[in-house]
């Protein structure tokens, strides 16, 4: 296990280097620059600003300085936000984004598992049709379309929940549901198909033939074996939720990292774009590693990093 984690950690470092390099190159290949829209500033002031942020230096020198600071966990100053650095922006915005992401992930996983189990146990009946209809809607309609609809009906017309802002649990309900809808649909469909496959296995019929109660057969045998494929998509679900939060936070005026990231793209704030990209890439790589390790907890038969891996 330790050897496997060490190897994965080295791959994570290599992946982060590739991501940081590609992000740096793409930022500088794009036309324009952070001060291209500052039409009112004299050319000399723009030149001084570029010199202050080392943007006047050759690209190899800029890249070397960036990688040096990155190794020291210094993501640099924000070009557009005065007196703020990227580390401070992440420190302020990440707790908000983490809370929203955890709420959305918890809702997507728990509701998806429950709906998938219900649909499989009521196969080809009204509950199954209802659940699958909701799953199709969740897959077909993106979160940035659902979010304004939620604001319109749940907030403006029915006056049930706040439509924007951040500060209480009620403020997080609509954005969390909008963010979780597509992952919820994926989890539901996978859990339903996995449960249907498991319910048709011989050991399930044997357990029933031994006289075990239906609830014991479902909870002790069916769900335990059917849940493993669902666990495998927790990593991709985290990717969907993290990337989707960028737009959702902007729509609901949530002061998370997503809002800063969207603003940095419009403002061509190089340091914020590259810093947030590297930070979230490291977070996603860590989540995927934790999910792989969690496989062995869900199913002890699985061995990772060994010759007898299944």
């Amino acid at each position: 296990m330790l050897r496997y984690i060490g190897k994965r950690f080295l791959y994570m470092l290599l992946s982060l280097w590739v991501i940081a390099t590609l992000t740096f190159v793409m930022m500088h290949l794009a036309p324009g620059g952070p001060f291209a829209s500052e039409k009112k500033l004299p050319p000399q002031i723009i030149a001084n600003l570029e010199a202050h942020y080392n943007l006047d230096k050759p690209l190899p020198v800029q890249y070397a300085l960036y990688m040096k600071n990155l190794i020291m966990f210094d993501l640099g100053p924000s070009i557009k936000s005065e007196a703020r650095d990227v580390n401070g922006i992440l420190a302020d915005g990440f707790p908000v984004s983490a809370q929203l992401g955890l709420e959305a992930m918890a809702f997507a996983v728990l509701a998806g598992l429950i709906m998938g189990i219900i649909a499989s146990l009521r196969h080809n009946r009204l509950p199954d049709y209802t659940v699958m209809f909701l799953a199709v809607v969740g897959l077909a309609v993106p979160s940035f379309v659902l979010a304004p609809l939620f604001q319109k009906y749940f907030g403006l017309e029915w006056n049930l929940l706040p439509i924007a802002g951040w500060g209480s649990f009620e403020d997080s309900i609509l954005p969390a549901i909008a963010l979780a809808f597509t992952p919820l649909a994926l989890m539901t469909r996978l859990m339903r198909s996995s449960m249907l496959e498991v319910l048709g296995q011989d050991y399930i019929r044997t357990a029933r033939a031994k006289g075990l109660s239906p609830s014991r057969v479902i909870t002790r045998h069916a769900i335990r074996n059917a849940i493993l494929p669902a666990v495998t998509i927790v990593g991709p679900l985290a990717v969907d939720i993290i990337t989707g939060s960028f737009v959702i936070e902007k729509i609901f005026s949530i002061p998370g990292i997503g809002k800063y990231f969207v603003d940095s793209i419009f403002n061509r704030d190089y340091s914020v774009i590259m810093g947030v990209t590297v930070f979230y890439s490291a977070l996603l790589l860590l989540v995927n590693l934790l999910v792989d390790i969690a496989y062995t907890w869900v199913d002890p038969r699985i061995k990772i990093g060994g010759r007898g891996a299944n």
Side-chain angles (χ1 to χ4, degrees):
M1 175 68 76
L2 292 178
R3 184 183 303 174
Y4 173 80
I5 294 176
K7 185 183 298 185
R8 285 290 299 270
F9 183 74
L10 293 177
Y11 288 152
M12 288 172 58
L13 293 179
L14 178 61
S15 300
L16 285 177
W17 172 73
V18 172
I19 291 170
T21 301
L22 290 177
T23 306
F24 177 88
V25 172
M26 288 188 292
M27 285 295 97
H28 288 82
L29 286 179
F35 308 109
S37 60
E38 305 291 345
K39 302 297 183 182
K40 299 180 181 180
L41 294 179
Q44 184 59 43
I45 294 181
I46 294 179
N48 292 337
L49 289 173
E50 291 179 344
H52 176 73
Y53 291 105
N54 295 319
L55 298 177
D56 61 332
K57 293 181 171 53
L59 285 183
V61 177
Q62 294 185 45
Y63 176 74
L65 291 174
Y66 173 67
M67 295 305 298
K68 176 184 176 182
N69 292 332
L70 186 61
I71 293 174
M72 300 175 65
F73 301 101
D74 181 8
L75 300 177
S78 171
I79 297 177
K80 291 295 185 177
S81 299
E82 297 182 0
R84 296 208 67 184
D85 57 14
V86 182
N87 292 56
I89 291 175
L90 292 175
D92 293 339
F94 179 68
V96 176
S97 297
Q99 179 182 341
L100 177 61
L102 290 174
E103 289 182 16
M105 176 65 76
F107 177 74
V109 172
L110 294 178
L113 292 176
I114 294 173
M115 292 172 62
I117 293 171
I118 293 174
S120 64
L121 296 178
R122 297 293 185 268
H123 185 47
N124 289 335
R125 299 179 186 176
L126 180 59
D128 186 21
Y129 297 145
T130 303
V131 168
M132 294 311 298
F133 172 77
L134 293 176
V136 170
V137 172
L139 293 174
V141 183
S143 59
F144 61 82
V145 175
L146 289 173
L149 294 177
F150 288 169
Q151 289 177 320
K152 174 179 172 58
Y153 290 103
F154 289 98
L156 297 178
E157 295 196 3
W158 300 335
N159 197 27
L160 296 176
L161 293 167
I163 63 172
W166 190 262
S168 65
F169 176 74
E170 290 184 348
D171 295 328
S172 67
I173 294 177
L174 286 184
I177 295 176
L179 187 58
F181 219 84
T182 298
L184 167 64
L186 292 171
M187 179 65 72
T188 300
R189 290 174 63 91
L190 182 58
M191 189 62 189
R192 173 183 177 271
S193 61
S194 181
M195 276 289 293
L196 289 175
E197 181 180 356
V198 169
L199 290 174
Q201 297 296 321
D202 292 337
Y203 65 87
I204 296 294
R205 288 192 288 267
T206 302
R208 288 171 174 168
K210 289 181 178 179
L212 296 179
S213 64
S215 61
R216 188 176 180 85
V217 172
I218 296 300
T219 56
R220 293 293 300 273
H221 298 280
I223 295 179
R224 185 174 182 179
N225 289 280
I227 201 174
L228 183 60
V231 174
T232 62
I233 67 167
V234 171
L237 289 187
V239 175
D240 289 342
I241 288 176
I242 289 175
T243 55
S245 67
F246 293 163
V247 179
I248 294 298
E249 289 178 11
K250 187 69 175 178
I251 293 175
F252 286 94
S253 299
I254 298 174
I257 297 180
K259 179 180 181 298
Y260 292 111
F261 185 74
V262 174
D263 291 339
S264 68
I265 293 176
F266 287 110
N267 295 328
R268 299 294 299 276
D269 196 335
Y270 287 167
S271 54
V272 175
I273 294 175
M274 292 187 292
V276 173
T277 301
V278 172
F279 176 78
Y280 267 113
S281 299
L283 184 62
L284 293 176
L285 290 171
L286 179 61
V287 168
N288 286 329
L289 175 60
L290 295 177
V291 170
D292 288 344
I293 296 174
Y295 294 165
T296 60
W297 177 76
V298 176
D299 190 348
R301 296 172 299 178
I302 295 179
K303 305 294 182 183
I304 58 177
R307 296 180 179 180
N310 293 329

